[in-house]
């Protein structure tokens, strides 16, 4: 069986990556339609599926599509998703519009593909959640998570093409002794780290930090696991890094955890400190698997604690790849 596919927001970083992932994974595409804003409508895009003229997303006919990937703003998704599903089209939404809706499954296919059921609307998780989810869930199944503490090191790609371009352009300005400006971020990102991603909430955590809590609870179907997160933007282009500390119900050892994680789909073990092998943005860029390493006994929680570092490509497993993997479960 093949599918008529539409990508809303096809000119953005995630939209473009979805096109590449569909091709690389040999997804059975009968026809591919690309949509963007009125500003981009009528332009021709080169793709692995040939040259495709971009349509106006506001004018899409969802009755002509089997699956629509929404790589577009949450407000747009809220206004258009039900229109698509009413026309019989599956929608895989990359925004935060429906992630916390109890009636919409939030899916990481390696963990909870069963949650899709017969739903026409499926939410893709936040990139930070998606990258941590598989190693965390693997350890949770085996040892039981009692507490989770995460600190992130998030690439500018998390703010889309605008964020990546700002890092490149403003780095050039800095090196040429020109004024350094900022629009995509609340402060200059060049040679800086910013512990502020998304809006601050009433509890003084940012929304980005709370997304990890809310989404992990929903994906794992474990609403009571205590989770805390601090999210930091750093001056890299792709790949989010995450330092993770867990306290477990059962005793846990680094060696057994390494064996376990090395056998898990979607994880690549990068843990050879004698040879300086560990997860890094440079090695995880454009990689489908999430790198996991620096696995060690946590000295606070002892034999019931583990500490490790993960790196995952924010645009791939954090967005486009996970969305296409969801589509594969619809076959």
């Amino acid at each position: 069986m093949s599918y008529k596919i539409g990508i809303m927001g096809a000119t953005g970083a995630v939209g473009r990556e979805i096109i590449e992932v569909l091709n690389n994974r040999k997804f059975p595409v009968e026809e591919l339609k690309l949509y963007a804003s009125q500003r981009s409508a009528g332009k021709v895009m080169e793709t692995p599926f040939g040259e495709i003229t971009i349509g106006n997303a506001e004018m899409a006919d969802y009755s002509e599509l089997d699956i629509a990937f929404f790589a577009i703003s949450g407000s747009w998704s809220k206004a258009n998703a039900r229109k698509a599903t009413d026309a019989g089209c599956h929608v895989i939404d990359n925004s935060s519009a429906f992630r916390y809706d109890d009636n919409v499954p939030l899916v990481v296919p390696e963990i909870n593909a069963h949650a899709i059921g017969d739903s026409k609307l499926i939410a893709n998780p936040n990139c930070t959640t998606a990258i941590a989810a598989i190693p965390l869930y693997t350890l949770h199944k085996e040892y039981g998570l009692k507490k989770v503490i995460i600190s992130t090191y998030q690439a500018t790609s998390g703010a889309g093409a605008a964020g990546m371009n700002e890092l490149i352009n403003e780095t050039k300005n800095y090196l040429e002794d020109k004024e350094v400006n900022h629009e995509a971020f609340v402060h200059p990102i060049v040679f800086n780290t910013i512990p502020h991603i998304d809006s601050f909430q009433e509890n003084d955590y940012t929304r980005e930090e709370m997304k990890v809590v809310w989404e992990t609870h929903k994906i794992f179907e474990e609403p009571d696991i205590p989770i805390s997160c601090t999210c930091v933007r750093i001056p890299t282009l792709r790949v989010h890094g995450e330092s993770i500390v867990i306290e477990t119900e059962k005793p846990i050892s680094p060696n057994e955890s390494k064996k376990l994680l090395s056998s898990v789909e979607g994880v690549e073990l990068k843990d050879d400190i004698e040879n300086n092998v560990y997860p890094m943005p440079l090695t995880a860029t454009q990689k489908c698997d999430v790198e996991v390493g620096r696995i060690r006994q946590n000295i606070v929680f002892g034999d019931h604690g583990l500490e490790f570092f993960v790196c995952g490509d924010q645009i791939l497993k954090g967005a486009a790849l996970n969305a296409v993997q969801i589509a594969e479960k619809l076959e």
Side-chain angles (χ1 to χ4, degrees):
M1 184 175 179
S2 56
Y3 297 86
K4 296 177 180 178
I5 304 294
I7 300 176
M8 312 294 156
T11 58
V14 174
R16 291 176 182 272
E17 200 75 29
I18 289 172
I19 297 169
E20 295 300 321
V21 174
L22 287 169
N23 178 62
N24 293 341
R25 293 179 70 86
K26 296 180 172 54
F27 190 87
V29 178
E30 177 182 333
E31 182 181 9
L32 179 62
K33 291 178 179 286
L34 305 181
Y35 300 90
S37 66
Q38 186 175 357
R39 182 178 64 254
S40 297
K43 295 179 181 178
V44 176
M45 183 183 289
E46 290 278 355
T47 80
F49 301 92
E51 291 187 344
I52 299 176
T53 300
I54 298 170
N56 185 343
E58 300 290 345
M59 306 297 291
D61 183 351
Y62 294 101
S63 68
E64 297 178 349
L65 301 174
D66 299 310
I67 303 170
F69 293 95
F70 281 21
I72 207 161
S73 72
S75 58
W76 195 93
S77 292
K78 284 184 178 179
N80 290 275
R82 299 300 181 185
K83 184 194 309 181
T85 58
D86 288 346
C89 177
H90 281 94
V91 172
I92 301 170
D93 181 37
N94 198 63
S95 79
S96 61
F98 300 101
R99 290 174 186 159
Y100 317 117
D101 187 326
D102 290 339
N103 297 314
V104 177
L106 177 66
V107 174
V108 174
E110 295 92 336
I111 298 173
N112 66 331
H114 65 274
I116 296 172
D118 58 0
S119 179
K120 289 285 188 181
L121 174 59
I122 305 104
N124 213 29
N126 176 263
C127 52
T128 315
T129 307
I131 289 164
I134 297 173
L136 270 179
Y137 189 70
T138 300
L139 296 170
H140 177 53
K141 285 192 299 181
E142 187 69 20
Y143 301 102
L145 292 178
K146 191 173 180 180
K147 294 185 181 74
V148 180
I149 302 169
I150 302 174
S151 296
T152 75
Y153 308 80
Q154 296 184 217
T156 54
S157 56
M164 299 169 77
N165 290 335
E166 185 164 303
L167 175 61
I168 293 168
N169 295 333
E170 299 307 323
T171 299
K172 291 177 182 176
N173 286 339
Y174 181 94
L175 295 174
E176 294 172 0
D177 290 325
K178 297 179 180 178
E179 183 180 357
V180 175
N181 299 304
H182 59 95
E183 292 184 6
F185 307 108
V186 295
H187 296 284
I189 189 63
V190 178
F191 299 111
N192 193 22
T193 59
I194 306 172
H196 175 188
I197 303 175
D198 211 325
S199 58
F200 282 101
Q201 306 295 289
E202 289 185 2
N203 61 359
D204 291 344
Y205 283 79
T206 65
R207 185 170 175 80
E208 180 79 2
E209 292 159 354
M210 293 309 301
K211 286 175 184 176
V212 175
V213 179
W214 299 330
E215 294 174 21
T216 303
H217 285 163
K218 183 172 179 179
I219 293 164
F220 287 16
E221 298 176 2
E222 295 276 9
D224 298 324
I225 299 173
I227 302 171
S228 178
C229 184
T230 298
C231 292
V232 182
R233 187 76 70 192
I234 66 170
T236 54
L237 286 174
R238 288 179 72 133
V239 177
H240 291 353
E242 304 183 31
S243 174
I244 303 176
V245 176
I246 61 173
E247 183 185 12
T248 54
E249 299 284 355
K250 301 177 183 177
I252 187 170
S253 77
N255 286 338
E256 290 302 316
S257 298
K258 290 176 187 179
K259 290 178 185 177
L260 178 62
L261 290 167
S262 67
S263 66
V264 174
E265 178 188 358
V267 168
E268 179 181 351
L269 189 67
K270 299 274 286 190
D271 198 306
D272 181 4
I273 56 176
E274 291 184 0
N275 292 297
N276 300 324
V277 175
Y278 28 68
M280 297 186 297
L282 281 176
T283 52
T285 293
Q286 294 185 326
K287 184 178 286 183
C288 291
D289 290 344
V290 173
E291 294 184 351
V292 182
R294 292 294 319 279
I295 299 170
R296 58 207 187 273
Q297 204 86 58
N298 177 260
I299 59 176
V300 175
F301 298 126
D303 63 1
H304 282 69
L306 199 74
E307 192 155 357
F308 55 98
F309 193 72
V310 304
C311 277
D313 192 307
Q314 176 271 339
I315 305 176
L316 274 170
K317 186 55 184 173
L321 173 62
N322 197 78
V324 173
Q325 288 177 306
I326 291 172
E328 290 170 347
K329 296 299 182 180
L330 303 178
E331 295 184 57

